[in-house]
């Protein structure tokens, strides 16, 4: 891979969980408050549905619109509003997620499911990449996986 291609690569991660594809789909569309942040508002029950995820007290918020929903197979959300607050970072970081797409592909594998996640537009040249890489590492690979495997995630919470 060339340096240019590496700099332009989207964030990607695949995990294997002890859950059915339908359970994974439900966790991504109606249970974000159990693994990502307890502060969610909205509905992803249909294409065009919107959800706002908030990280109080001062870490920002994002609003996503469902662009593809296929139960047990695909969840795709486009970021339509972004306000990422990170002390010591340039102001551009606040809107870097705007227009990016979160895409989860769910694949059954025996009694488990593989979940392939790609944050399209989250690339190493963004100011927020290292912070977001670490964040997705925790919220997707750790908290989401724990929620599906053990029934308890570790969402962001002010309490």
């Amino acid at each position: 891979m060339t340096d240019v291609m590496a700099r332009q690569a989207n964030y990607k991660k695949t995990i294997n969980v002890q859950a059915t594809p339908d359970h994974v789909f439900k966790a991504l569309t109606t249970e974000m408050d159990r693994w990502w942040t307890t502060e969610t508002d909205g509905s992803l029950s249909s294409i065009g549905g919107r959800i706002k995820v908030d990280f109080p007290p001062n870490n920002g918020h994002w609003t996503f619109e469902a662009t593809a929903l296929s139960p047990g197979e695909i969840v795709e959300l486009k970021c339509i509003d972004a306000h990422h607050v990170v002390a010591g970072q340039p102001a551009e970081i606040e809107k870097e997620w705007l227009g990016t797409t979160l895409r989860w592909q769910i694949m059954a594998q025996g009694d488990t499911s593989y979940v392939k996640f790609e944050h399209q537009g989250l690339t190493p040249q963004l100011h927020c990449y290292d912070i977001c890489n670490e964040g997705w590492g925790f919220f997707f690979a750790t908290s989401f996986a724990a929620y599906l495997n053990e029934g308890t995630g570790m969402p962001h919470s002010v309490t």
Side-chain angles (χ1 to χ4, degrees):
M1 181 181 323
T2 67
D3 289 341
V4 171
M5 289 172 63
R7 285 195 310 271
Q8 295 174 346
N10 294 318
Y11 173 87
K12 295 178 185 178
K13 180 79 174 173
T14 300
I15 60 172
N16 180 255
V17 293
Q18 301 292 319
T20 66
D22 288 338
H23 187 198
V24 173
F25 183 84
K26 182 178 179 186
L28 291 168
T29 57
T30 65
E31 299 173 341
M32 285 183 178
D33 62 326
R34 298 185 186 169
W35 60 270
W36 196 4
T37 178
T38 58
E39 300 297 317
T40 63
D41 184 35
S43 172
L44 297 174
S45 60
S46 62
I47 301 294
R50 294 181 176 185
I51 191 162
K52 179 180 180 183
V53 295
D54 194 10
F55 288 77
N58 297 313
N59 297 318
H61 62 266
W62 294 264
T63 302
F64 298 94
E65 182 176 301
T67 54
L69 296 172
S70 182
E73 296 177 5
I74 298 286
V75 173
E76 185 175 280
L77 310 175
K78 183 173 183 176
C79 183
I80 59 170
D81 180 46
H83 184 73
H84 191 186
V85 179
V86 182
Q89 290 291 322
E92 295 86 20
I93 201 169
E94 292 182 15
K95 301 291 182 195
E96 284 185 323
W97 279 28
L98 191 61
T100 67
T101 298
L102 310 180
R103 181 177 173 82
W104 291 271
Q105 182 178 359
I106 308 159
M107 299 155 285
Q109 180 69 37
D111 294 337
T112 67
S113 295
Y114 278 95
V115 186
K116 180 181 177 184
F117 173 58
E118 181 175 6
H119 188 158
Q120 298 168 352
L122 179 59
T123 58
Q125 68 265 28
L126 297 183
H127 296 289
C128 75
Y129 185 80
D130 290 337
I131 296 160
C132 295
N133 183 33
E134 185 177 317
W136 280 129
F138 178 75
F139 288 113
F140 174 64
T142 301
S143 181
F144 181 70
Y147 176 63
L148 291 170
N149 290 331
E150 302 159 17
T152 304
M154 297 153 274
H156 173 83
S157 176
V158 292
T159 57

